[in-house]
PDB file of all heavy atoms in Angstrom:
ATOM      1  N   LYS J1436      58.707  38.951   4.852  1.00  0.00           N
ATOM      2  CA  LYS J1436      57.456  38.696   5.573  1.00  0.00           C
ATOM      3  C   LYS J1436      57.507  38.028   6.845  1.00  0.00           C
ATOM      4  O   LYS J1436      57.016  38.408   7.837  1.00  0.00           O
ATOM      5  CB  LYS J1436      56.488  37.965   4.588  1.00  0.00           C
ATOM      6  CG  LYS J1436      56.450  38.494   3.078  1.00  0.00           C
ATOM      7  CD  LYS J1436      55.439  37.744   2.256  1.00  0.00           C
ATOM      8  CE  LYS J1436      56.003  36.314   2.021  1.00  0.00           C
ATOM      9  NZ  LYS J1436      57.188  36.225   1.149  1.00  0.00           N
ATOM     10  N   THR J1437      58.211  36.812   6.687  1.00  0.00           N
ATOM     11  CA  THR J1437      58.450  36.144   8.041  1.00  0.00           C
ATOM     12  C   THR J1437      59.207  36.879   9.172  1.00  0.00           C
ATOM     13  O   THR J1437      58.935  36.854  10.271  1.00  0.00           O
ATOM     14  CB  THR J1437      59.070  34.887   7.742  1.00  0.00           C
ATOM     15  OG1 THR J1437      58.390  34.074   6.851  1.00  0.00           O
ATOM     16  CG2 THR J1437      59.265  33.998   9.034  1.00  0.00           C
ATOM     17  N   ASP J1706      51.930  32.205   9.368  1.00  0.00           N
ATOM     18  CA  ASP J1706      53.085  32.375   8.399  1.00  0.00           C
ATOM     19  C   ASP J1706      52.896  31.466   7.248  1.00  0.00           C
ATOM     20  O   ASP J1706      53.228  30.283   7.354  1.00  0.00           O
ATOM     21  CB  ASP J1706      54.357  32.190   9.139  1.00  0.00           C
ATOM     22  CG  ASP J1706      55.570  32.660   8.230  1.00  0.00           C
ATOM     23  OD1 ASP J1706      55.205  33.253   7.191  1.00  0.00           O
ATOM     24  OD2 ASP J1706      56.712  32.407   8.667  1.00  0.00           O
ATOM     25  N   ASP J1707      52.398  31.907   6.156  1.00  0.00           N
ATOM     26  CA  ASP J1707      52.385  31.101   4.956  1.00  0.00           C
ATOM     27  C   ASP J1707      51.619  29.738   5.078  1.00  0.00           C
ATOM     28  O   ASP J1707      51.957  28.745   4.505  1.00  0.00           O
ATOM     29  CB  ASP J1707      53.762  30.768   4.515  1.00  0.00           C
ATOM     30  CG  ASP J1707      53.956  31.125   3.078  1.00  0.00           C
ATOM     31  OD1 ASP J1707      52.969  31.278   2.333  1.00  0.00           O
ATOM     32  OD2 ASP J1707      55.126  31.234   2.631  1.00  0.00           O
ATOM     33  N   THR J1732      50.920  36.112   6.636  1.00  0.00           N
ATOM     34  CA  THR J1732      51.847  36.345   5.418  1.00  0.00           C
ATOM     35  C   THR J1732      51.341  35.425   4.383  1.00  0.00           C
ATOM     36  O   THR J1732      51.019  34.234   4.611  1.00  0.00           O
ATOM     37  CB  THR J1732      53.349  36.165   5.809  1.00  0.00           C
ATOM     38  OG1 THR J1732      53.429  34.748   6.027  1.00  0.00           O
ATOM     39  CG2 THR J1732      53.697  36.778   7.116  1.00  0.00           C
TER      40      THR J1732
HETATM   41 MG1   MG A2127      58.582  33.452   5.052  1.00  0.00          MG
END
Side-chain angles (χ1 to χ4, degrees):
K1436 304 182 297 293
T1437 302
D1706 193 8
D1707 228 343
T1732 73

